[in-house]
Amino acid sequence: MPRLLGVDIPSNRPTVVALTYLYGVGSKAARVLCHDAGIDPHARARDLREDELARLATLLDKDYVVEGQLRRQRNQNIIRLRDIACYRGLRHRRGLPVRGQRTRTNARTRKGPKKTVAGKKGVKDLR
């Protein structure tokens, strides 16, 4: 398995697909990387030579924010929003949808499993 930026990329996949296993590299960026590094995008990742892997690593370091650095940057942005107490920060703090989705129904991904609240009992007529 070839190793790139501390991540094992799958060796049995085409290089373009294998590069998308890196956090922060999508299909478009993978195609651009292959083109800039002069690598056949359809060749299997196991067929990459050491110099090709080194070229990919230098391009990724120079032009892209990926893996741990990108995760850190995202988390710092969320922490900043929380600290300045803007609307988006408050939504992050409460664990609710941030981008304006409805919460009366749905939103289970952000809110977690249902927490059942006991309903009111019907008032009985005493006669």
Side-chain angles (χ1 to χ4, degrees), residues 81-83 85 88-96 110:
L81 290 172
R82 286 179 177 180
D83 289 345
R88 282 174 56 203
L90 295 176
R91 302 300 280 183
H92 273 291
R93 193 178 296 162
R94 291 180 183 154
L96 293 169
R110 283 292 295 194

Side-chain angles (χ1 to χ4, degrees), residues 1-2 8-22 30 34 39-48 52-53 56:
M1 248 187 198
D8 290 331
I9 57 175
S11 56
N12 58 343
R13 302 218 180 242
T15 306
V16 161
V17 177
L19 286 174
T20 62
Y21 280 70
L22 296 169
C34 286
I39 296 171
D40 177 26
H42 302 295
R44 299 288 169 177
R46 64 175 165 256
D47 299 332
L48 290 175
E52 292 172 333
L53 285 172
L56 281 172

